C-alpha cells in the first residue's frame, strides 16, 4: 500500500489528515447508536469466548446465515475489526470511533492517489479534500457500522490501483498485479458486498483508458469482424484475455457469495422498502426517482436523515407526478455525460468516464435493480459513489479555474464549499452523540417516517422515560396506522406503566393487522419474523392472570403453527407449561426448540430447570453442563448448577461448585447471592473463617440479606462466638421482625449467655404472637417460666405445649420434672418451716440443681431441633435428669444433631430461594 502511495507527498497527506481530524474530532465523543446496537452491543461474535469460525458462519449482526431472519449481509472481516476493538477496549465507544477516523484518513489518501491517475496534482488534492469533508459521509464515519464502507473502500481502491499496474511494456500482460487485484477484490467483498463492483471499474479502465478505445472505434472493429473483413487485433485479444480472467474470478466470487447466503434473499417488509412490494408502474417510477434523490444529496447535503424508510419518500404512482421531471432531467444529464465520455477521445472524457464509473457501478447493489434492499435511501452507501462525484466536481473546477475571468470566482466558490461542508460535517457529528439526538435530528427533516417516531420512543424507553416514550409510539401509529411494530411498542410501554388493559388492546390491534394464514403459502415471506412476537408479547401479558393460562398457551401454539421454526415461541411456551405444572409438555417444547438450535445455551439451561421440576437432578446437571460447554460464562447456569451440586450433598462436587460460584461472582460482582452460596459451601466444608468472610461480603452488598444475616449469626453461635451473633441478629430482626428462627436463636443466647431472662422472654412471646402453635417457641417460654420460679405457670405452659405436640417425649419429661418439683416443694412446706436456714440453703441448692437439669435438657433438645442454633458447651456435663428415663448416648445425640443440622440448613436455603433472596 505504501508503495502505491509513493507519489503522495508528505505535505498532501498531512493536509488531508489535518482536515479530517478537524471535521471528525467530535465523533470520538459519540456513543453506539442505531445499527451500532445490533452490530456491536448485541453481537456475541465480538466476544473472545466466541469461536472465530462463527464470524464466517454468521451475518454482520451475529445471526447465523442459515436462519431466515438473517439480513444475509456477510462481512466477516469488518466484524473481525470490531472484535479487535472489543479485545483492547471492550465496549468503550471511543476506540471504535477512533479507528473509523483512521480508516477514513486512509481512504482519503488512497483516493488522492487514484485521482492523480486522471487529474493534475492540484485538482487531485481538491477532489480528495471535497471527499474528506463531504457531510454525506458522517453516517459512514461517525456511525460505527459504517466501517464496512470504510474498509471495503480501502481494498476497493487498492484493487483498482493494483490493476493499473497490469499493463507492461509493449502492451504486455503483467499477471502479478491481476492476481493481487483478484485477492483484494475478495477481501473488499468480505468487508462489504459492493467491493466486488471494482471489477467493473477495472474493465472500463482497461478498455477505455489503458487501451484508449472509444465507443465508435469498438463498434467499427466489431462491424468489420462480423463482416469478415478483418480479424481481432492482437492487443484487443490480450485485453479480452484480461477481461475474461477478471470476469471469471468475479463469477467465482458471486457463486461463493450465493452459497454463503444459501440461495436465499433476506426477508424485508413493505415498511422497509415500500416501492419493492408496489405494483407497476409505481415500483419502477419510484426506483427511478430515487436516483435523482441520491444525486441531490451529493449535490446539496443540507438535510440529512439517518433513516429514509417507510413514508419518508412517498411512492411515485403516476406518470403525471411532477417528480418524474426530476427523474427525466437526471437521466438526460447522465446520458449526455456518458455519451461525451465514450464517444470522444482525450483526457477530459477519460476523467469524466472514470468519475461516472465510480458513481454508477458501486451504487448498483443498492439500486434495487437486481434485487430489493432493506432501505429506500441510505447515505452510507453513497460513500464510494461520492468519490466519482468529487472527481467530476474537481474536474469542472479545474476547467473553470483555467479561465482567467473565472479564476478568482472558482477559488472563492471552492473555499466556500469546503468551509461550509466542513462546518456541516462537524455539526452533523453531534447528531450521532446518542440515539435520542440522532432520531430527533431526523424528525426535523422528515415527520412522515413512523420508524423515526418509534426510534425516539425506544431511546426514551431505554432511559425509563415511559410516559414520553408512549407519546412518540402513539404518534408512530398515527403516522402509519398499519405499522404492526408501532402498536407492539405502544402495548409494551403500557405494560411497563402497569396499564395491562390498554397494553392488551394495543397488542390485539397489532394482532389484527397480521396477514391471515393462506394454505400453501409461506407465512414468513409476507411479514417480518419479528412481527410474530405480537403473539409472544400478548401471551406473556395475559398469562400473569392465572385464569387465562390456557388462552396464553393457545397464542403460543398459534405462533408455532404460523412458523414451525419459531424458536422463541417454543421457549416461551415451555416457561408457561412449567407454570401450569406440566413439566413433561415443557420438556417436549424445549426439545423441539433444541432441534432448531442445538447451539443455544439458554435452551439447555431451560431444559435443566425442567428436569429439576421433574425431580431428576442428575439429568438437570447434565443439561447445565451442556449450557456451560456452549457458553462457559452462562451466569444462570453457573449459579444454579453450583446450587444443585451443593444440594446433592456429594462432597466430591463441592470444589467444582465453588469454582462455578467464583466464576459467577467474577461475572456478577454485585450479586450478593453468589457470595452467600460460597459461604454456605464453606460452612459445609467446616471452613468457618472463609464462610464468615463470604457472608460478610454478601451482607455488605445487601445489608438486608435475610439468609446471609441468619446464617452468619448461626455460624457465630456454632463457633462459640454467641455474643458476636447478637448484633447480627439485631440487624436481621430489624429488617424481618417476624423471623422465627432468628428470634429463637436470639432468645437462647440471651438466656444462656447473657442471663437476660426478660429479653429472652420477649423473644419467645413474640414468636407466639406470630405463631401460637410454634412448639419450640412455646417450650422455650415454659423454660423461662421455670427460670422465673413460676412453677405453676411453667406446668400450665408445658401442658399446652404437650397438647400441640403429644408425641414429643422431651416435653412430657420436662412436665414430669416440673410436677415433681411442685410436689417436693409442697411436701417440704408441710414437713418443716421455711425459716430453717439450712433447709432453706438445701432447698435453694436443689432448686438450682433442677433448674440446671431443665436447662441442660432444653439446650440439648434445641441443639438437635434447631438447625444447630445452639452451640451446647455443656453437652459433656453429667446429665442429672430422672435416672429412670432412658438416655441416648452422647454419640447418638451428636449423630442425630448433625443430620438435623444438615436438614435444617437445606430448609433455610430453600426458604431463601422461595423468598427470592
Amino acid at each position: 500500500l505504501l508503495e502505491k502511495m509513493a507519489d503522495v507527498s508528505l505535505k498532501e497527506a498531512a493536509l488531508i489528515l489535518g482536515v479530517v481530524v478537524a471535521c471528525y474530532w467530535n465523533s470520538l465523543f459519540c456513543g453506539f447508536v442505531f445499527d451500532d446496537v445490533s452490530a456491536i452491543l448485541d453481537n456475541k461474535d465480538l466476544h473472545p469466548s466466541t469461536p472465530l469460525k462463527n464470524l464466517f458462519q454468521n451475518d454482520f449482526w451475529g445471526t447465523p446465515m442459515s436462519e431466515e431472519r438473517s439480513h444475509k449481509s456477510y462481512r466477516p472481516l469488518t466484524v473481525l475489526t470490531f472484535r479487535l476493538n472489543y479485545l483492547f477496549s471492550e465496549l468503550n465507544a471511543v476506540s471504535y470511533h477512533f479507528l473509523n477516523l483512521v480508516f477514513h484518513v486512509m481512504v482519503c489518501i488512497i483516493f488522492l492517489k487514484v485521482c492523480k491517475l486522471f487529474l493534475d496534482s492540484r485538482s487531485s488534492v481538491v477532489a480528495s479534500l471535497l471527499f474528506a469533508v463531504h457531510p454525506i459521509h458522517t453516517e459512514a464515519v461517525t456511525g460505527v457500522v459504517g466501517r464496512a464502507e470504510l474498509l471495503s473502500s480501502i481494498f476497493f481502491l487498492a484493487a483498482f490501483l493494483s490493476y493499473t499496474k497490469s499493463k507492461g511494456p509493449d502492451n504486455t500482460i503483467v499477471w502479478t498485479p491481476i492476481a493481487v487485484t483478484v485477492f483484494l477484490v475478495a477481501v473488499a467483498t468480505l468487508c462489504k458486498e459492493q467491493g466486488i463492483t471494482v471489477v467493473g471499474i477495472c474493465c472500463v479502465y482497461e478498455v477505455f483508458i489503458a487501451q484508449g478505445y472509444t465507443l465508435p472505434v469498438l463498434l467499427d472493429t466489431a462491424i468489420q469482424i462480423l463482416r469478415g473483413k478483418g480479424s481481432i487485433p492482437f492487443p484487443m485479444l490480450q485485453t479480452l484475455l484480461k477481461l475474461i480472467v477478471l470476469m471469471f474470478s468475479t463469477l467465482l466470487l458471486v457463486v461463493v457469495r450465493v452459497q454463503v447466503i444459501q440461495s436465499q434473499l433476506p426477508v424485508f417488509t413493505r415498511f422497509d422498502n415500500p416501492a419493492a412490494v408496489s405494483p407497476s408502474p409505481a415500483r419502477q417510477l419510484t426506483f427511478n426517482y430515487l436516483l435523482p434523490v441520491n444525486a441531490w444529496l451529493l449535490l446539496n447535503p443540507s438535510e440529512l436523515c439517518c433513516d429514509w424508510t417507510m413514508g419518508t419518500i412517498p411512492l411515485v404512482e403516476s406518470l403525471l407526478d411532477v417528480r418524474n421531471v426530476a427523474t427525466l432531467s437526471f437521466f438526460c444529464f447522465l446520458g449526455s455525460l456518458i455519451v461525451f465520455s465514450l464517444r470522444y477521445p482525450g483526457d477530459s472524457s477519460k476523467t469524466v468516464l472514470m468519475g461516472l464509473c465510480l458513481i454508477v457501478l458501486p451504487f448498483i447493489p443498492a439500486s434495487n435493480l437486481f434485487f430489493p434492499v432493506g432501505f429506500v435511501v441510505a447515505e452510507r452507501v453513497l460513500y464510494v459513489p461520492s468519490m466519482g462525484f468529487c472527481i467530476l466536481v474537481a474536474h469542472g473546477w479545474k476547467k473553470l479555474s483555467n479561465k482567467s475571468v473565472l479564476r478568482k470566482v472558482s477559488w472563492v466558490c471552492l473555499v466556500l464549499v469546503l468551509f461550509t461542508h466542513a462546518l456541516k460535517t462537524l455539526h452533523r457529528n453531534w447528531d450521532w452523540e446518542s440515539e435520542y439526538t440522532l432520531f430527533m435530528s431526523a424528525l426535523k427533516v422528515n415527520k412522515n417516517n413512523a420508524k423515526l417516531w418509534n426510534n425516539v420512543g425506544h431511546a426514551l424507553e431505554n432511559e425509563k422515560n415511559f410516559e414520553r416514550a408512549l407519546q412518540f409510539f402513539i404518534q408512530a401509529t398515527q403516522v402509519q396506522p398499519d405499522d404492526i411494530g408501532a402498536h407492539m411498542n405502544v402495548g409494551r410501554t403500557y405494560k411497563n406503566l402497569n396499564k395491562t388493559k390498554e397494553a392488551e388492546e394495543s397488542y390485539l390491534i397489532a394482532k389484527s393487522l397480521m396477514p391471515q394464514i393462506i394454505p400453501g403459502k409461506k407465512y414468513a415471506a409476507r411479514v417480518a419474523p419479528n412481527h410474530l412476537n405480537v403473539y409472544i408479547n400478548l401471551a406473556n401479558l395475559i398469562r400473569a392472570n392465572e385464569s387465562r393460562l390456557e388462552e396464553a398457551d393457545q397464542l403460543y401454539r398459534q405462533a408455532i403453527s404460523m412458523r414451525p421454526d419459531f424458536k422463541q415461541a417454543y421457549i416461551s411456551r415451555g416457561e408457561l407449561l412449567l407454570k401450569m405444572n406440566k413439566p413433561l409438555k415443557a420438556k417436549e417444547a424445549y426439545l423441539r426448540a433444541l432441534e432448531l438450535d442445538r447451539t443455544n445455551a439458554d435452551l439447555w439451561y431451560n431444559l435443566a430447570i425442567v428436569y429439576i421440576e421433574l425431580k431428576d437432578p442428575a439429568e438437570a446437571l447434565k443439561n447445565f453442563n451442556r449450557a456451560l460447554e456452549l457458553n462457559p460464562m452462562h451466569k444462570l447456569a453457573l449459579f444454579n448448577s453450583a446450587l444443585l451440586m451443593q444440594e446433592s450433598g456429594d462432597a466430591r462436587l463441592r470444589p467444582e461448585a465453588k469454582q462455578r460460584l467464583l466464576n459467577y461472582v467474577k461475572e456478577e460482582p454485585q450479586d450478593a447471592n453468589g457470595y452467600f452460596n460460597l459461604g454456605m459451601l464453606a460452612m459445609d466444608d467446616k471452613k468457618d473463617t472463609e464462610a464468615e468472610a463470604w457472608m460478610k461480603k454478601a451482607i455488605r452488598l445487601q445489608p438486608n440479606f435475610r439468609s446471609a444475616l441468619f446464617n452468619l449469626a448461626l455460624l457465630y453461635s456454632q463457633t462459640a462466638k454467641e455474643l458476636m451473633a447478637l448484633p447480627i441478629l439485631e440487624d436481621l430482626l430489624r429488617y424481618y421482625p417476624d423471623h422465627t428462627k432468628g428470634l429463637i436463636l436470639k432468645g437462647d443466647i440471651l438466656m444462656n449467655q447473657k442471663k437476660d431472662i426478660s429479653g429472652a422472654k420477649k423473644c419467645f412471646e413474640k414468636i407466639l404472637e406470630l405463631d401460637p402453635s410454634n412448639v419450640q417457641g412455646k417450650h422455650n417460654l415454659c423454660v423461662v417460666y421455670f427460670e422465673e420460679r413460676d412453677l405453676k405457670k411453667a406446668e400450665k405452659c408445658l401442658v399446652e405445649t404437650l397438647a400441640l405436640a403429644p408425641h414429643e417425649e422431651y416435653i412430657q419429661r420436662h412436665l414430669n420434672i416440673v410436677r415433681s418439683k411442685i410436689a417436693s416443694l409442697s411436701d417440704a412446706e408441710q414437713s418443716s418451716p421455711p425459716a430453717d436456714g439450712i433447709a432453706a440453703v438445701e432447698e435453694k441448692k436443689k432448686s438450682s440443681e433442677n433448674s440446671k437439669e431443665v436447662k441442660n435438657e432444653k439446650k440439648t433438645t434445641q441443639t438437635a431441633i434447631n438447625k444447630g442454633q445452639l452451640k451446647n458447651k455443656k453437652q459433656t456435663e453429667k446429665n442429672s435428669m430422672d435416672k429412670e428415663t432412658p438416655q441416648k448416648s452422647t454419640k447418638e445425640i451428636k449423630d442425630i444433631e448433625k443430620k438435623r443440622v444438615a436438614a435444617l440448613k437445606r430448609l433455610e436455603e430453600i426458604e431463601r430461594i422461595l423468598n427470592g433472596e
Side-chain angles (χ1 to χ4, degrees):
L1 197 61
L2 291 173
E3 182 182 329
K4 298 189 180 305
M5 290 163 43
D7 58 348
V8 174
S9 70
L10 190 60
K11 287 183 180 179
E12 291 169 338
L15 174 63
I16 290 171
L17 174 63
V19 168
V20 171
V21 170
C23 289
Y24 286 99
W25 63 268
N26 58 338
S27 69
L28 300 179
F29 299 96
C30 298
F32 294 116
V33 297
F34 203 14
D35 289 340
D36 297 347
V37 175
S38 299
I40 309 296
L41 299 183
D42 298 339
N43 192 346
K44 293 181 180 178
D45 287 348
L46 272 62
H47 300 172
S49 58
T50 303
L52 272 174
K53 66 176 182 179
N54 283 25
L55 272 65
F56 296 89
Q57 296 172 346
N58 298 342
D59 67 12
F60 189 51
W61 317 99
T63 305
M65 294 292 288
S66 57
E67 291 193 11
E68 190 171 347
R69 63 191 178 95
S70 168
H71 282 208
K72 311 301 181 186
S73 46
Y74 188 65
R75 304 162 193 173
L77 296 186
T78 303
V79 179
L80 183 61
T81 66
F82 292 151
R83 185 168 172 136
L84 290 173
N85 271 120
Y86 189 92
L87 185 65
F88 288 105
S89 63
E90 293 194 352
L91 294 176
N92 181 359
V94 174
S95 73
Y96 293 79
H97 288 294
F98 177 75
L99 200 53
N100 272 24
L101 193 152
V102 170
F103 287 146
H104 184 52
V105 171
M106 291 175 66
V107 173
C108 292
I109 293 174
I110 302 172
F111 177 58
L112 174 59
K113 168 63 181 170
V114 171
C115 290
K116 288 190 174 187
L117 296 173
F118 314 107
L119 296 168
D120 60 52
S121 185
R122 187 174 64 183
S123 301
S124 297
V125 172
V126 168
S128 186
L129 289 175
L130 280 170
F131 180 79
V133 303
H134 204 297
I136 202 73
H137 298 155
T138 50
E139 183 171 339
V141 180
T142 310
V144 177
V145 295
R147 185 178 298 177
E149 265 73 27
L150 305 177
L151 281 173
S152 181
S153 299
I154 290 173
F155 296 107
F156 179 103
L157 295 174
F160 177 70
L161 285 173
S162 177
Y163 187 80
T164 61
K165 305 294 183 182
S166 66
K167 182 180 177 181
D170 301 324
N171 208 24
T172 56
I173 301 175
V174 184
W175 289 107
T176 302
I178 294 176
V180 172
T181 297
V182 171
F183 172 75
L184 291 173
V185 169
V187 174
T189 306
L190 290 175
C191 294
K192 192 178 180 184
E193 297 78 1
Q194 70 182 27
I196 202 170
T197 60
V198 72
V199 173
I201 294 173
C202 291
C203 291
V204 173
Y205 172 84
E206 177 65 31
V207 175
F208 296 100
I209 311 298
Q211 301 301 327
Y213 296 121
T214 60
L215 192 60
V217 171
L218 290 175
L219 288 174
D220 184 59
T221 304
I223 291 169
Q224 293 296 325
I225 293 170
L226 289 172
R227 288 178 177 178
K229 294 183 178 180
S231 59
I232 302 175
F234 181 72
M236 193 172 285
L237 284 172
Q238 286 186 308
T239 300
L240 283 173
L241 180 60
K242 292 171 73 173
L243 294 183
I244 289 170
V245 170
L246 276 179
M247 298 308 293
F248 180 77
S249 61
T250 304
L251 182 62
L252 191 62
L253 284 174
V254 170
V255 169
V256 171
R257 185 67 175 81
V258 170
Q259 288 296 316
V260 166
I261 67 172
Q262 301 183 359
S263 303
Q264 293 178 340
L265 288 175
V267 176
F268 298 116
T269 69
R270 60 190 177 87
F271 301 114
D272 298 316
N273 189 350
V277 294
S278 299
S280 298
R283 181 168 66 252
Q284 290 78 15
L285 291 174
T286 304
F287 283 157
N288 284 313
Y289 173 67
L290 294 180
L291 299 177
V293 169
N294 281 281
W296 181 249
L297 285 174
L298 289 173
L299 192 63
N300 178 29
S302 59
E303 292 188 340
L304 299 177
C305 181
C306 63
D307 193 310
W308 295 80
T309 56
M310 302 189 88
T312 304
I313 299 176
L315 295 173
V316 181
E317 298 180 293
S318 168
L319 289 169
L320 299 178
D321 194 310
V322 69
R323 290 175 292 175
N324 290 319
V325 175
T327 306
L328 189 61
S329 301
F330 170 79
F331 278 110
C332 288
F333 180 70
L334 183 65
S336 63
L337 287 178
I338 292 172
V339 170
F340 169 77
S341 61
L342 293 178
R343 185 171 182 179
Y344 302 104
D347 292 340
S348 182
S349 60
K350 290 179 180 179
T351 302
V352 172
L353 179 61
M354 292 311 300
L356 288 174
C357 284
L358 281 168
I359 291 174
V360 175
L361 295 179
F363 186 74
I364 286 176
S367 66
N368 293 281
L369 186 61
F370 297 111
F371 47 82
V373 293
F375 53 83
V376 179
V377 173
E379 293 165 12
R380 62 182 176 274
V381 304
L382 294 174
Y383 188 76
V384 176
S386 69
M387 295 178 185
F389 174 78
C390 292
I391 287 176
L392 292 179
V393 172
H395 182 59
W397 174 82
K398 174 190 171 185
K399 294 287 186 184
L400 292 175
S401 64
N402 284 339
K403 296 180 179 180
S404 58
V405 180
L406 299 174
R407 182 175 292 116
K408 289 185 180 179
V409 175
S410 66
W411 275 102
V412 170
C413 289
L414 176 64
V415 171
L416 187 63
V417 167
L418 287 173
F419 181 71
T420 54
H421 276 42
L423 278 182
K424 173 66 177 177
T425 298
L426 192 66
H427 181 263
R428 175 65 174 158
N429 288 333
W430 288 122
D431 291 341
W432 291 80
E433 185 178 12
S434 68
E435 294 210 316
Y436 179 78
T437 57
L438 179 64
F439 297 127
M440 285 301 291
S441 71
L443 282 175
K444 293 175 185 175
V445 175
N446 169 34
K447 291 181 170 58
N448 296 322
N449 186 342
K451 191 174 177 181
L452 293 174
W453 294 99
N454 279 321
N455 284 335
V456 175
H458 287 311
L460 292 167
E461 188 180 32
N462 291 336
E463 296 172 1
K464 308 299 181 186
N465 192 344
F466 298 122
E467 292 286 356
R468 280 198 67 202
L470 182 62
Q471 296 172 13
F472 282 90
F473 289 141
I474 290 174
Q475 182 62 34
T477 63
Q478 293 171 355
V479 170
Q480 188 89 32
D482 59 350
D483 182 6
I484 297 170
H487 290 287
M488 289 169 64
N489 292 335
V490 172
R492 185 181 62 256
T493 309
Y494 273 131
K495 182 183 178 184
N496 288 331
L497 292 169
N498 296 318
K499 297 181 178 180
T500 53
K501 182 181 177 182
E502 292 87 345
E504 184 174 349
E505 289 172 357
S506 297
Y507 284 140
L508 288 172
I509 293 172
K511 181 171 174 283
S512 69
L513 293 170
M514 297 286 285
Q516 298 302 309
I517 299 175
I518 301 174
K521 189 168 184 181
K522 195 173 184 182
Y523 186 80
R526 297 175 292 114
V527 69
N530 64 317
H531 283 171
L532 283 169
N533 283 323
V534 66
Y535 294 95
I536 306 300
N537 294 348
L538 181 57
N540 290 346
L541 179 72
I542 66 175
R543 79 183 197 186
N545 185 339
E546 295 289 338
S547 65
R548 301 181 70 183
L549 296 182
E550 288 292 345
E551 187 181 345
D553 189 34
Q554 178 62 34
L555 285 166
Y556 291 136
R557 283 182 284 162
Q558 189 174 354
I560 290 169
S561 70
M562 292 179 173
R563 282 285 299 266
D565 62 343
F566 192 13
K567 182 174 61 181
Q568 187 56 48
Y570 291 107
I571 294 171
S572 298
R573 185 167 185 247
E575 294 170 359
L576 175 67
L577 290 168
L578 275 179
K579 186 176 182 179
M580 295 169 72
N581 198 25
K582 297 179 180 178
L584 288 174
K585 287 190 175 181
K587 176 183 170 184
E588 289 177 13
Y590 287 131
L591 288 174
R592 179 71 183 92
L594 281 168
E595 289 176 14
L596 300 170
D597 183 7
R598 297 190 68 81
T599 63
N600 189 321
D602 291 336
L603 282 175
W604 291 105
Y605 169 80
N606 289 349
L607 189 58
I609 299 300
V610 171
Y611 278 114
I612 288 177
E613 293 293 324
L614 291 170
K615 306 292 189 283
D616 191 346
E619 198 63 33
L621 189 55
K622 286 181 185 177
N623 285 283
F624 280 137
N625 291 340
R626 287 296 298 273
L628 291 170
E629 285 172 14
L630 293 166
N631 180 7
M633 299 311 290
H634 191 291
K635 290 180 284 192
L636 289 174
L638 285 170
F639 182 79
N640 286 289
S641 63
L643 278 188
L644 202 60
M645 291 175 174
Q646 183 180 358
E647 290 172 0
S648 71
D650 188 344
R652 294 171 300 178
L653 294 177
R654 285 178 196 159
E656 178 61 22
K658 180 179 179 180
Q659 187 56 52
R660 292 187 182 187
L661 285 172
L662 288 172
N663 288 338
Y664 175 77
V665 297
K666 192 183 297 181
E667 290 291 305
E668 290 287 340
Q670 298 304 310
D671 186 2
N673 288 290
Y675 301 105
F676 166 74
N677 282 284
L678 280 166
M680 295 300 291
L681 271 176
M683 286 179 72
D684 289 341
D685 285 334
K686 309 299 181 188
K687 297 177 180 177
D688 298 334
T689 305
E690 184 181 333
E692 179 184 355
W694 289 124
M695 293 294 182
K696 284 183 175 178
K697 191 157 189 176
I699 293 167
R700 278 198 299 272
L701 287 170
Q702 188 179 329
N704 65 340
F705 196 155
R706 175 181 172 132
S707 296
L709 288 165
F710 176 75
N711 281 282
L712 180 58
L714 178 60
L715 179 66
Y716 284 142
S717 73
Q718 290 177 335
T719 53
K721 299 177 183 176
E722 289 90 342
L723 297 182
M724 291 178 68
L726 276 178
I728 305 298
L729 289 168
E730 293 290 347
D731 290 340
L732 172 67
L733 295 170
R734 185 172 72 253
Y735 291 117
Y736 307 101
D738 57 348
H739 196 289
T740 304
K741 294 178 183 179
L743 287 166
I744 288 176
L745 182 55
K746 181 184 176 184
D748 184 77
I749 294 173
L750 288 174
M751 187 160 63
N752 291 286
Q753 303 300 322
K754 298 278 286 184
K755 307 301 180 186
D756 182 357
I757 305 301
S758 174
K761 184 178 182 180
K762 289 178 182 177
C763 290
F764 301 138
E765 285 175 342
K766 174 70 174 176
I767 292 168
L768 295 177
E769 284 178 22
L770 298 169
D771 179 13
S773 63
N774 188 294
V775 175
Q776 194 173 343
K778 194 165 185 67
H779 172 266
N780 289 358
L781 185 61
C782 300
V783 176
V784 169
Y785 293 150
F786 187 87
E787 293 284 351
E788 291 177 339
R789 302 294 188 271
D790 193 339
L791 298 179
K792 290 290 184 184
K793 204 168 186 179
E795 180 188 23
K796 181 184 177 184
C797 178
L798 285 166
V799 169
E800 293 172 354
T801 307
L802 189 62
L804 291 173
H807 302 296
E808 290 291 349
E809 186 183 350
Y810 73 93
I811 300 174
Q812 181 66 59
R813 289 202 308 271
H814 289 181
L815 179 59
N816 292 340
I817 292 170
V818 171
R819 284 174 172 170
S820 173
K821 179 64 178 173
I822 291 171
S824 66
L825 285 175
S826 177
D827 292 342
E829 286 174 359
Q830 292 173 8
S831 62
S832 60
D836 185 296
I838 296 174
V841 172
E842 285 181 0
E843 185 59 41
K844 185 175 181 180
K845 185 176 179 181
K846 287 179 182 178
S847 173
S848 176
E849 185 178 2
N850 281 332
S851 172
K852 185 186 292 184
E853 289 171 359
V854 178
K855 280 171 68 179
N856 280 341
E857 179 67 19
K858 171 191 73 73
K859 288 168 72 175
T860 304
T861 303
Q862 283 194 342
T863 304
I865 292 175
N866 246 347
K867 195 183 172 184
Q869 287 177 347
L870 293 177
K871 180 73 175 178
N872 188 359
K873 293 188 286 186
K874 298 182 181 179
Q875 283 181 7
T876 58
E877 294 180 11
K878 180 171 169 54
N879 194 316
S880 54
M881 295 290 288
D882 187 355
K883 296 287 176 73
E884 294 179 6
T885 305
Q887 297 292 309
K888 293 184 181 291
S889 69
T890 304
K891 184 177 185 303
E892 287 175 325
I893 291 173
K894 286 185 177 180
D895 287 342
I896 293 170
E897 178 185 339
K898 286 179 181 178
K899 290 177 182 177
R900 289 182 176 177
V901 166
L904 286 160
K905 188 182 290 185
R906 168 72 181 270
L907 287 172
E908 178 67 21
E909 189 172 311
I910 290 170
E911 177 190 297
R912 179 189 67 77
I913 295 170
L914 291 174
N915 289 337
E917 297 177 7

